Amino acid sequence: MTLIGTLMAVSAVIGDYPVFTGQALRYGLAALILLPLVLRSPVRPRGLREWSLLTALAATGLAGFNYCLVEASRSADPATVGAVVGATPAVMAIVAPLAARRRPSGRILAAGLVVAAGAVLANGPGGDGDLRGTLFSLGALAGEVLFTLLAVPLLPRLGPLRVSAYSVALAVPLLAAAGLVAGERPRLPSPAEGAGFLYLGVVITALAFLVWFDALGRLGPDRAVLFAGLVPVSAAGTGLLLGLGTPSPLQLAGCLLVALGLTCGVKLRERRSTLGAARSRVL
């Protein structure tokens, strides 16, 4: 999530490139890196269920998320979009346990609300937007939630590497088709744009997806998604390092809230794990 927050470092460089075509290039590059690592393995997606989950993951969490994000940004300012998508930790604290047929944890929900509030503040002041922008922002939020939920049943058998490789590969034709529908005219990237897409494909996609899906298996989706609050924090830090602006006191307060929520959520997990191990030794 910290890596994804550095996206602002390259957003200005690729800002003039056709959006959907650029995203197709990004995921295509990640697929070229990841697919050779899994194609020789005897463990592959099998059956209609796994292929359907992977396709749905690519369509909603990757292609759909990017489409909604682009459309939302045309009717709302980035801070408003970020505020809606920043609610992901609070939403996942409820949705993830229900999807696993267990009761949501009140403490994880409280941590998610704190992280979400901090993410809203860390995004900076906003407020410009209309109903269309809000609806597409909610669509992006749904894509972010599905990006995690749809991966959970695939990870035990396929693992993080295969889920990453096949999902990014499936997203390429979907985004290319979206570019055609939008009337985009593909062109060769400039050297600076090429460097930006290289960073997007290698670091923000191939590497970030691998560590994210690995984290889901270790922490569970409701706790792992608490770290989504680090995206605006990382973006603010990246902007400071690049000399693009100094975070306001409100944004700094948001960063502290994110840290507080993360600490509470992760420490709760560690405490329960310690208590469980102690009980096992006693028994």
Side-chain angles (χ1 to χ4, degrees):
M1 288 299 177
T2 302
L3 291 174
I4 291 174
T6 65
L7 178 63
M8 70 169 298
V10 296
S11 60
V13 176
I14 62 172
D16 293 330
Y17 196 84
V19 176
F20 296 113
T21 305
Q23 292 299 316
L25 287 176
R26 164 194 177 181
Y27 290 118
L29 178 58
L32 288 176
I33 296 170
L34 297 174
L35 280 178
L37 302 177
V38 302
L39 289 179
R40 294 183 181 181
S41 170
V43 180
R44 296 184 181 181
R46 64 187 181 195
L48 180 61
R49 179 177 178 271
E50 288 188 349
W51 280 110
S52 297
L53 285 172
L54 283 168
T55 303
L57 172 61
T60 59
L62 303 184
F65 172 79
N66 282 284
Y67 172 74
C68 288
L69 211 57
V70 169
E71 292 298 324
S73 66
R74 292 174 176 169
S75 302
D77 61 83
T80 300
V81 178
V84 176
V85 179
T88 302
V91 173
M92 283 296 295
I94 299 172
V95 174
L98 293 178
R101 297 182 180 180
R102 55 185 173 85
R103 181 179 299 178
S105 164
R107 294 186 181 181
I108 294 296
L109 176 58
L113 289 170
V114 172
V115 170
V120 170
L121 293 178
N123 269 300
D128 294 332
D130 55 17
L131 178 61
R132 182 179 183 275
T134 301
L135 291 176
F136 274 110
S137 297
L138 289 172
L141 170 63
E144 185 77 359
V145 170
L146 290 171
F147 174 70
T148 296
L149 284 183
L150 292 172
V152 170
L154 294 166
L155 289 170
R157 197 183 76 83
L158 295 179
L161 180 59
R162 295 176 187 85
V163 172
S164 300
Y166 288 110
S167 62
V168 296
L170 289 168
V172 175
L174 296 174
L175 286 161
L180 290 175
V181 172
E184 292 184 351
R185 296 182 179 181
R187 61 174 174 81
L188 287 176
S190 68
E193 290 171 336
F197 284 123
L198 184 65
Y199 181 78
L200 277 174
V202 176
V203 178
I204 298 184
T205 305
L207 177 59
F209 278 31
L210 276 175
V211 295
W212 173 249
F213 287 137
D214 186 66
L216 286 182
R218 296 173 183 271
L219 296 175
D222 47 350
R223 287 183 176 85
V225 174
L226 290 175
F227 288 84
L230 289 176
V231 174
V233 175
S234 174
T238 303
L240 180 62
L241 290 174
L242 295 177
L244 300 178
T246 303
S248 67
L250 202 61
Q251 288 177 296
L252 292 175
C255 294
L256 291 175
L257 272 180
V258 169
L260 175 63
L262 278 174
T263 302
C264 293
V266 174
K267 286 294 182 181
L268 173 63
R269 171 72 179 207
E270 291 176 354
R271 182 183 176 190
R272 287 183 174 176
S273 299
T274 303
L275 289 174
R279 290 193 185 102
S280 298
R281 286 196 296 271
V282 171
L283 294 173

